[in-house]
Amino acid sequence: MFIIFLMTGNKKIRVPRAEFDYKGRPCSIISVGGYVPEKILTNAELEKRVNTSDEWITTRTGIKERRIAAKDEFTSDLATKAALKAIERGNIKPEEIDLIIVATITPDMPFPATACLVQEKIGAKRAAAFDLEAACSGFIYGLEVGQQFIISRTFETVLVIGAEKLSSIVDWEDRNTCVLFGDGAGAAILRHRENSHGLLTACMGSDGGKSNLIVMPAGGSKNPATIETVNSRLHYLKMEGRETFKNAVTAMYTAANEALRRCNLDVSQIKCIIPHQANKRIIEAVRQRLGASESQFFVNLQKYGNTSAASVAIALDEVVQSGKINRGDLIMLLAFGAGLTWAAAIIEW
Ligand code: ACO
């Protein structure tokens, strides 16, 4: 493996290149599930909380409403509901699950892992469990990590979940961020299958040099919780939106191209592209650069806003349930988030 540097505009993105035969990985996504909380928060309601407007939010982001979890509904609860749907559709028993990976930036608590709480709630008594933190790219990272355990024959059945209660870390006084995010969860079950369809490649990257762009400054070892950190509102998500926007377009475009190159595919061969649902303008810019058609891109951000690690997982569930995808179709997952992290995966469904 070696590293190439791709120049896009004035941005430089590192992409790990690999020359493997990606066909015939013995791992399938056998089922998916999704869950969003019942409570809907509309742009009109946000107009009453901060100095914003439905017009600004719609034209700048495409978001019309988002879901907000109940006070007593935690990330593990959202994850559990999505997981149970995937388990039912996959026609498996929770005891058959060997590993649970929960991708999240809003765990119920810093520890124990939310994955352990989900394990108990779904009754997956045999499973190992851990959380994975790659922000909005977390679900795609999780799929690839889960698949690696299956390819190595360490595990037979892996449950991967992207789940977030972002409403718990959003600063409801900051109009720059509070209009963007929502809560929800999506899940996928991976299983060993010889000569199966599955994840053909996952092209992942990160740039810690830009870790300051999206950050929750306090609550970790750097700034443990104190009265001062609370008063300074350091336990909320902070984001430099414009800079994040530019990096998101470049990174997702570059990762998508590399994933296509690895699989020797042209973008026109992809039936459905499922991007991270952060902003319709980001999605549109990536679509245009890739030369893909509007009908290839799946967008549901108008209903849910940005649900970080849950975003691609919820969208994948909606695409599959809509019947739009048939076995053998090619799907591309694309994401970008805090870290910075990014990922592009191609699935043969
Ligand atoms: N309502 C009204 N005005 C607003 C609002 C609001 N909710 N928010 C910001 N503004 C104002 C700003 O104050 C600014 O005013 P000024 O020009 O007087 O200073 C103006 O609107 C423009 O602000 P920008 O930040 O330049 O607006 P931009 O067009 O960049 O849109 C946005 C902002 C939507 C945040 C965009 O930059 C974006 O989507 N960024 C990427 C976010 C993303 O992809 N995040 C992914 C990772 S999230 C994660 O990892 C958890």
Side-chain angles (χ1 to χ4, degrees), residues 113-312:
T114 298
C116 296
L117 308 177
V118 173
Q119 180 210 14
E120 174 62 17
K121 287 179 185 183
I122 65 174
K125 295 190 188 317
R126 287 181 44 243
F130 64 86
D131 287 359
L132 183 155
E133 210 263 68
C136 310
S137 314
F139 181 68
I140 305 179
Y141 270 59
L143 287 179
E144 178 64 7
V145 172
Q147 163 156 282
Q148 292 296 334
F149 277 108
I150 289 175
I151 293 171
S152 67
R153 305 308 310 269
T154 309
F155 294 127
E156 186 86 6
T157 305
V158 178
L159 168 61
V160 182
I161 306 171
E164 302 285 8
K165 185 176 178 179
L166 290 166
S167 59
S168 65
I169 60 163
V170 158
D171 184 346
W172 292 103
E173 292 181 12
D174 176 13
R175 72 174 184 172
N176 291 293
T177 52
C178 78
V179 302
L180 304 174
F181 298 101
D183 303 334
I189 293 175
L190 309 181
R191 200 156 230 202
H192 176 262
R193 273 189 190 167
E194 288 299 337
N195 303 318
S196 69
H197 300 195
L199 210 62
L200 302 182
T201 188
C203 174
M204 303 179 293
S206 64
D207 183 356
K210 293 178 180 145
S211 56
N212 59 315
L213 293 183
I214 315 165
V215 61
M216 190 170 93
S221 60
K222 186 176 178 185
N223 294 307
T226 61
I227 301 288
E228 288 73 34
T229 60
V230 172
N231 288 342
S232 306
R233 309 184 80 74
L234 297 182
H235 295 270
Y236 292 123
L237 180 155
K238 319 274 179 199
M239 183 169 72
E240 288 182 32
R242 201 171 288 177
E243 220 21 60
T244 303
F245 189 117
K246 288 188 224 156
N247 281 279
V249 175
T250 307
M252 286 203 286
Y253 165 74
T254 310
N257 262 340
E258 171 59 9
L260 290 167
R261 190 200 64 79
R262 286 182 185 181
C263 298
N264 199 20
L265 290 167
D266 184 82
V267 72
S268 61
Q269 294 170 271
I270 307 291
K271 175 82 180 288
C272 183
I273 300 174
I274 302 177
H276 172 45
Q277 307 285 317
N279 186 315
K280 73 169 183 197
R281 290 185 295 140
I282 293 176
I283 293 173
E284 181 54 18
V286 173
R287 184 189 75 73
Q288 285 183 8
R289 286 199 190 185
L290 280 174
S293 70
E294 273 180 37
S295 63
Q296 282 174 283
F297 268 74
F298 181 78
V299 178
N300 65 1
L301 58 77
Q302 68 281 2
K303 296 189 288 183
Y304 308 130
N306 179 348
T307 57
S308 192
S311 149
V312 169

Side-chain angles (χ1 to χ4, degrees), residues 4-229:
I4 57 162
F5 290 91
L6 291 183
M7 297 297 291
T8 314
N10 58 353
K11 292 273 175 293
K12 198 195 263 183
I13 295 288
R14 281 171 297 168
V15 180
R17 285 185 69 159
E19 308 295 340
F20 302 134
D21 175 11
Y22 285 100
K23 290 280 177 185
R25 292 168 127 196
C27 174
S28 248
I29 298 178
I30 64 163
S31 61
V32 289
Y35 172 77
V36 290
E38 273 174 33
K39 186 181 160 37
I40 296 173
L41 179 63
T42 63
N43 291 350
E45 288 166 276
L46 278 168
E47 286 178 358
K48 294 178 196 149
R49 289 195 191 193
V50 288
N51 181 15
T52 190
S53 65
D54 173 49
E55 197 268 333
W56 191 95
I57 302 170
T58 306
T59 53
R60 295 295 176 118
T61 72
I63 300 165
K64 297 299 283 183
E65 57 190 41
R66 65 289 292 143
R67 300 300 179 102
I68 303 294
K71 264 201 172 124
D72 60 353
E73 194 177 30
F74 313 120
T75 297
S76 64
D77 298 314
L78 309 180
T80 296
K81 285 180 178 151
L84 288 174
K85 279 193 197 161
I87 288 167
E88 191 192 329
R89 290 179 187 144
N91 200 19
I92 65 161
K93 295 190 183 69
E95 302 81 34
E96 294 173 53
I97 297 168
D98 299 302
L99 173 66
I100 300 170
I101 301 172
V102 173
T104 187
I105 56 167
T106 49
D108 287 21
M109 297 165 272
F111 69 88
T114 298
C116 296
L117 308 177
V118 173
Q119 180 210 14
E120 174 62 17
K121 287 179 185 183
I122 65 174
K125 295 190 188 317
R126 287 181 44 243
F130 64 86
D131 287 359
L132 183 155
E133 210 263 68
C136 310
S137 314
F139 181 68
I140 305 179
Y141 270 59
L143 287 179
E144 178 64 7
V145 172
Q147 163 156 282
Q148 292 296 334
F149 277 108
I150 289 175
I151 293 171
S152 67
R153 305 308 310 269
T154 309
F155 294 127
E156 186 86 6
T157 305
V158 178
L159 168 61
V160 182
I161 306 171
E164 302 285 8
K165 185 176 178 179
L166 290 166
S167 59
S168 65
I169 60 163
V170 158
D171 184 346
W172 292 103
E173 292 181 12
D174 176 13
R175 72 174 184 172
N176 291 293
T177 52
C178 78
V179 302
L180 304 174
F181 298 101
D183 303 334
I189 293 175
L190 309 181
R191 200 156 230 202
H192 176 262
R193 273 189 190 167
E194 288 299 337
N195 303 318
S196 69
H197 300 195
L199 210 62
L200 302 182
T201 188
C203 174
M204 303 179 293
S206 64
D207 183 356
K210 293 178 180 145
S211 56
N212 59 315
L213 293 183
I214 315 165
V215 61
M216 190 170 93
S221 60
K222 186 176 178 185
N223 294 307
T226 61
I227 301 288
E228 288 73 34
T229 60

